[in-house]
Amino acid sequence: MDQKHVHPLLVKYARIGAYKQPHCPGCGNGIVAQCMLRAIDELKLDMDKIVFASGIGCSSWIPSPLFNADVLHTTHGRSLAFATGVKLSNPELRVVVFTGDGDSAAIGGNHLIQAARKNIEILTVLVNNRIYGMTGGQVAPTTPHGVKTKTTPYGNLEYPFDLCKLVEAAGASYVARWTTFHTRQLVSSMKKGLLKKGFSFIEVISQCPVQYGTFVGIRDPAEMLHIFRKISVPFEKAKNMSREELEGKIVIGEFVDIERTGLAEAYQRLLEMMNL
Amino acid sequence: MSSGANKIIEPGTHFLMGNEACALGAVVAGCKFFAFYPITPANEIAEYMSVLLPKVKGIYIQMEDEISSIASVIGASWAGRKAMTATSGPGFTLMQENIGYAVATETPCVIVDVQRCGPSTGTPPLPMQGDVYQAKYGSHSEYPIIALAPSSVKEMFTLTIESFNLAEKYRTPVILLSDALVGHLMETFEIPDLSQIEIVERKKPDKETSDAKYFLDEDVAPMPVFGCGYKAHVTGSTHDEKGLRNVEDPVYVDKVVRALHRKIEKHKENIVKVETKFLDDAEIALLTYGSVARTAIHVVNQARKTGIKVGIIRLITLWPFPDVQVQSAARKTGRIVVMENNLGQVVNKVSEVAAKYADVKFLPPRIIGSLHEPEYVINFLKEVY
């Protein structure tokens, strides 16, 4: 492809021959990918010292094969466990996991809370499109109550996870939630997460106009972004709102930002002590 | 990365449990990452590894389950470390999806399965050889695997080293298929001077001349290490030689399946090991492996005193299956009795390759999970022949 028609961040950071993307038109994954590359660019990080890991599902194709770095595209739900092995083995590498709500709230849920508990120095970006997109629109553990999907034709009887609360309770050092509308805040959070010396978790509520949009009757991605803007409530404001008032809202912001020694660093200290 | 084993392991006579010998073997082989989830009868491997590894700058981590244990091992391997996990049957089952991933992505790693008795939870401390098929066919689709069967504490040491060597040489997961008997057995064995032990390191790409073809070479492609600028793309999806996904063209699936198979098949002669004894004049061959081989060798000595001309062929490699060696024993003796601690797994493979050369019979123990009593085997030999 002629490089002058390609976004400058892609010219700089995309794997050659990987411009062609598998995502559906209007998908939020492109926004998330651009935010990550922008964060890396603004921090002037060396891509050769970052390992991107991902699992299975739409969001797992954000770094694989697009990002021109070491990429480990793994099995469904397990990317955090693979990434734990990478980080512990070479603590000098920055490790970033791209995952989705099916990947890390359902099949890999335990790995998510355990990685947070271990406080392993990994930045996890969980793109939450509230549905199983790649497999054709089945209900997810993040699908709102009552929403009809391919496998909840009479409406979802269950309630969705609050993933940020879950990861905060598990012990993460940094927890934030934004939507694909809040790109500036997302870039700023990603920069923090990339530099954090502990487990960082960013949930990005993302539009899926093709699957989720079909079921809720909104096929226009721009309209979905406007809705995100309208229903988002900053964390500080949400503190003073009742449960009823928060119904149908997305609470955004930074929930946790603390300093606590990460597992890889703790292990390095042990090794230094043992091998004086 | 030097193994550092000479700092903490003395050559000479050791009196140890099989599982402990396995841990020592791993350290000697250069293992620098071990992940584990507690399970009987494999725990002693992990307990010893947690003591040993930090002393040689290695990483020990207890993960949340066996799925994440093998996953972190694969991650560690791509970050350049020799890596291992250990488990028993139920945990081995949980690992199967990611073992398939390791095969497909050509990731060197070692998985120790200290087999226990029975389906489901079964009886954890009793031995059984129930996972021979699981080792070969446990993960989905079709793939080659290497599996070795130790039958002594010494072999828990030597075959652990061999497992690492094969894994590094052929960029593949290797299964050490032990069982509760060999794992918990205590014996003396000799550790030679460590400089006498052959240690294989994986082939790395030459950065200057690298053509970024890191996959699907039947003579084993060089393996990049994360963080060194190779920009490796590793995926369990169908991929080309550069690791890039191609799930549209069925030709690529064909390529991946065949290349992975050829990589092991082509080098089978260098991989497969068996041990034979008294086969030259034997009229019956006892074919066995792992813990059961211990009884078999005793039986052969006893039976020969009573005039039964019996020899032994012990499979050290279970997969890829030593068909040439089994056929040779079949031709020599005309009669093969397969002894294993299950209701018949290896025997089916023996029949498949050797039935046209020999009469193949199967002898499970009287009680599954127990040893074959020598008299029971000798009576069987007398009755049958």
Side-chain angles (χ1 to χ4, degrees), chain B residues 205-221:
Chain B
D206 181 344
K207 230 180 198 169
E208 305 305 314
T209 60
S210 173
D211 58 358
K213 287 187 176 169
Y214 305 139
F215 300 92
L216 305 181
D217 183 342
E218 58 188 54
D219 287 319
V220 192

Side-chain angles (χ1 to χ4, degrees), chain A residues 7-266:
Chain A
H7 193 285
L9 282 172
L10 285 185
V11 174
K12 209 165 162 187
Y13 296 107
R15 192 183 292 275
I16 293 165
Y19 292 159
K20 192 182 146 201
Q21 281 303 291
H23 309 299
C24 305
C27 175
N29 281 344
I31 296 173
V32 180
Q34 192 190 127
C35 287
M36 177 55 72
L37 293 179
R38 198 171 290 285
I40 289 167
D41 196 54
E42 287 179 11
L43 290 173
K44 297 188 169 55
L45 298 180
D46 180 359
M47 283 289 264
D48 285 346
K49 296 293 171 197
I50 309 178
V51 173
F52 296 95
S54 64
I56 299 293
C58 306
S59 58
S60 292
W61 282 1
I62 290 174
S64 163
L66 181 67
F67 290 2
N68 199 21
D70 292 319
V71 174
L72 188 62
H73 173 246
T74 71
T75 48
H76 197 17
R78 319 299 173 198
S79 52
L80 272 163
F82 282 80
T84 299
V86 174
K87 182 65 190 181
L88 285 173
S89 292
N90 187 351
E92 286 172 16
L93 300 177
R94 259 174 245 280
V95 180
V96 179
V97 164
F98 281 94
T99 185
D101 45 322
D103 211 33
S104 280
I107 188 166
N110 194 23
H111 307 308
L112 176 64
I113 56 174
Q114 299 288 344
R117 178 188 62 78
K118 287 174 190 145
N119 199 31
I120 177 98
E121 301 90 326
I122 294 172
L123 165 58
T124 298
V125 179
L126 187 148
V127 184
N128 179 358
N129 61 1
R130 298 168 295 173
I131 200 154
Y132 284 84
M134 190 179 276
T135 46
Q138 298 83 7
V139 69
T142 44
T143 305
H145 184 70
V147 167
K148 290 180 182 176
T149 69
K150 281 256 177 72
T151 49
T152 50
Y154 312 111
N156 183 16
L157 302 179
E158 301 172 16
Y159 293 88
F161 259 127
D162 184 331
L163 292 172
C164 287
K165 275 189 183 160
L166 182 75
V167 175
E168 178 183 350
S173 288
Y174 182 81
V175 181
R177 180 192 288 125
W178 303 106
T179 78
T180 37
F181 178 82
H182 302 88
T183 52
R184 283 173 199 281
Q185 296 92 326
L186 182 55
V187 171
S188 149
S189 263
M190 283 172 166
K191 283 161 77 175
K192 278 192 185 171
L194 282 164
L195 298 177
K196 196 79 188 172
K197 295 185 183 313
F199 187 76
S200 306
F201 178 78
I202 303 171
E203 180 185 6
V204 189
I205 308 290
S206 177
Q207 77 277 17
C208 170
V210 171
Q211 300 293 353
Y212 190 79
T214 303
F215 294 113
V216 296
I218 307 166
R219 297 295 308 269
D220 178 5
E223 193 187 339
M224 288 184 122
L225 288 176
H226 282 299
I227 292 171
F228 284 165
R229 182 177 61 90
K230 236 190 296 181
I231 63 173
S232 290
V233 180
F235 172 52
E236 292 301 323
K237 195 176 163 196
K239 272 186 193 164
N240 304 317
M241 290 168 70
S242 68
R243 186 182 278 264
E244 289 72 35
E245 286 172 317
L246 285 171
E247 194 69 39
K249 300 281 194 289
I250 301 168
V251 181
I252 54 167
E254 289 178 340
F255 304 99
V256 180
D257 188 359
I258 56 168
E259 300 300 327
R260 198 156 59 95
T261 309
L263 179 62
E265 192 190 329

Side-chain angles (χ1 to χ4, degrees), chain A residues 260-274:
Chain A
R260 198 156 59 95
T261 309
L263 179 62
E265 192 190 329
Y267 207 100
Q268 284 309 304
R269 284 187 198 165
L270 170 73
L271 290 185
E272 277 160 29
M273 204 177 70
M274 300 278 298

Side-chain angles (χ1 to χ4, degrees), chain B residues 10-159:
Chain B
E10 293 279 334
T13 308
H14 289 250
F15 180 58
L16 285 175
M17 189 185 277
N19 282 343
E20 293 167 332
C22 171
L24 282 185
V27 171
V28 168
C31 177
K32 285 286 189 285
F33 187 96
F34 182 84
F36 185 72
Y37 185 79
I39 189 166
T40 303
N43 297 313
E44 296 81 5
I45 300 176
E47 288 159 11
Y48 206 18
M49 286 302 259
S50 74
V51 174
L52 295 174
L53 274 180
K55 296 181 183 175
V56 293
K57 297 183 184 168
I59 311 276
Y60 171 91
I61 186 165
Q62 188 166 308
M63 294 297 285
E64 52 270 23
D65 52 29
E66 287 87 349
I67 300 172
S68 47
S69 296
I70 178 72
S72 65
V73 158
I74 295 168
S77 187
W78 279 98
R81 288 181 184 245
K82 289 188 181 177
M84 176 168 108
T85 181
T87 187
S88 187
F92 193 41
T93 305
L94 287 179
M95 289 182 186
Q96 289 299 338
E97 184 192 12
N98 283 337
I99 291 173
Y101 179 89
V103 173
T105 53
E106 303 179 61
T107 309
C109 55
V110 175
I111 300 112
V112 184
D113 174 11
V114 188
Q115 297 168 98
R116 64 193 218 182
C117 206
S120 189
T121 307
T123 305
L126 284 186
M128 186 172 166
Q129 296 174 319
D131 298 347
V132 179
Y133 282 171
Q134 191 182 190
K136 172 70 179 83
Y137 302 107
S139 198
H140 53 280
S141 193
E142 209 177 14
Y143 61 98
I145 201 83
I146 299 176
L148 311 179
S151 60
S152 62
V153 171
K154 183 186 176 180
E155 281 194 342
M156 283 295 275
F157 177 78
T158 57
L159 291 187

Side-chain angles (χ1 to χ4, degrees), chain B residues 261-314:
Chain B
H261 264 91
R262 269 201 302 267
K263 189 175 70 173
I264 301 302
E265 208 49 41
K266 189 174 170 184
H267 303 98
K268 197 169 160 179
E269 216 174 288
N270 299 322
I271 296 170
V272 166
K273 276 188 185 152
V274 304
E275 184 188 58
T276 58
K277 263 184 191 159
F278 307 117
L279 267 193
D280 286 342
D281 67 338
E283 289 164 359
I284 308 169
L286 282 183
L287 187 148
T288 179
Y289 57 93
S291 57
V292 176
R294 305 175 68 86
T295 312
I297 192 71
H298 182 72
V299 164
V300 168
N301 289 326
Q302 293 291 312
R304 284 205 157 240
K305 282 181 196 157
T306 66
I308 305 172
K309 285 189 173 169
V310 57
I312 188 167
I313 171 166
R314 177 169 77 93

